[in-house]
Amino acid sequence: MDPLLFALPKGRLQDVLLDLLGRGGINVDRAGISRRLTFPDRDGRFAFVSLKPADVPVYVESGAADVGVAGTDVLREFDPDVYEPLDLRVGLCTMVLACPVDRPLAEGGQWRIATKYPRTAGRFFAAKNNHVHIVKLEGSVEIAPQLGLADAIVDLVETGRTLKENGLVVTETISPISAKLIVNRTAMKTKREGVQRLLADLDGVIYAHR
Ligand code: PRP
């Protein structure tokens, strides 16, 4: 059987995911990851590829990758046409609206909102019938209010440390976030056996920790 092409997000979630896969019996030689475009697991069931988090659904939707892992932050922002069969219960954090501690948002103001998630932020404010100006950034969003680029931010919070260090405070919780396994729609049928075995391996690990 051909290996499944498995797209993993780069960054802080990758080690957590490799631990999770290891507990499910899928073992990867981590030393080879940074130097190679794709890397196999020890049993040759998968060829892994390490991608920018927002690129994972692009690869899986197109079929360039069969399966992948993406946060619900990315999935709700880009809305890819993929299956989401399993919540992995890792990468847990919260999407929030936050503003400077010393400059609360004025009611009825035309707020400028800095974010990496313009569609998510747009939907959130549209549902409240609140007209805002969205400033799309690629990262380090927490600096924007201090420098006068925005009045508030929509971003992820995990420990809360980054908000605190930048003098920001949560004013509203938008949604809980977690990492999900995603599967290409065609691969779900044509590579069913491999996908089902992966789901069973991961489900066993997640179930054991419930
Ligand atoms: C994420 C997020 C926050 C930070 C939250 O950024 O966008 O900036 O982590 O974590 P904390 O609550 O534990 O401090 P990331 O490190 O992914 O980098 P980015 O600024 O490039 O988005």
Side-chain angles (χ1 to χ4, degrees):
M1 205 164 40
D2 282 345
L4 288 181
L5 208 302
F6 195 141
L8 283 178
K10 280 184 184 169
R12 64 167 98 179
L13 192 57
Q14 191 163 90
D15 268 337
V16 175
L17 292 171
L18 291 174
D19 286 345
L20 187 79
L21 289 164
R23 290 201 300 278
I26 299 161
N27 293 295
V28 170
D29 172 17
R30 297 188 197 201
I33 293 178
S34 58
R35 277 168 279 119
R36 296 174 59 172
L37 185 59
T38 66
F39 46 98
D41 68 311
R42 280 186 208 146
D43 298 334
R45 287 167 59 195
F46 302 97
F48 288 96
V49 59
S50 190
L51 302 172
K52 286 248 185 189
D55 290 341
V56 169
V58 179
Y59 276 74
V60 174
E61 182 179 47
S62 74
D66 300 309
V67 297
V69 174
T72 45
D73 54 333
V74 168
L75 293 171
R76 299 293 86 82
E77 179 68 18
F78 297 105
D79 200 22
D81 185 18
V82 294
Y83 287 113
E84 296 177 14
L86 195 60
D87 190 328
L88 301 175
R89 301 179 182 222
V90 294
L92 301 177
C93 54
T94 311
M95 182 81 71
V96 302
L97 171 66
C99 72
V101 182
D102 54 359
R103 261 182 292 131
L105 289 167
E107 278 299 321
Q110 251 268 1
W111 305 333
R112 294 164 305 153
I113 306 294
T115 187
K116 279 182 9 183
Y117 305 95
R119 291 176 71 185
T120 305
R123 275 198 306 269
F124 173 71
F125 288 108
K128 296 155 83 70
N129 215 6
N130 196 336
H131 299 286
V132 298
H133 175 67
I134 292 180
V135 182
K136 163 80 165 71
L137 297 176
E138 295 298 329
S140 306
V141 171
E142 288 87 351
I143 295 169
Q146 281 178 44
L147 299 184
L149 181 68
D151 302 303
I153 66 169
V154 166
D155 200 17
L156 301 179
V157 178
E158 190 180 351
T159 62
R161 204 176 309 137
T162 315
L163 283 189
K164 199 164 178 220
E165 281 173 6
N166 288 283
L168 300 169
V169 63
V170 174
T171 55
E172 250 180 282
T173 293
I174 298 176
S175 62
I177 303 294
S178 62
K180 288 193 165 187
L181 185 77
I182 58 174
V183 181
N184 172 264
R185 291 205 175 271
T186 306
M188 189 66 126
K189 298 185 193 92
T190 58
K191 301 184 178 178
R192 187 164 194 86
E193 200 182 316
V195 171
Q196 290 301 338
R197 189 171 161 204
L198 171 64
L199 283 172
D201 289 344
L202 291 177
D203 203 38
V205 175
I206 295 161
Y207 185 75
H209 285 78
R210 255 172 218 159

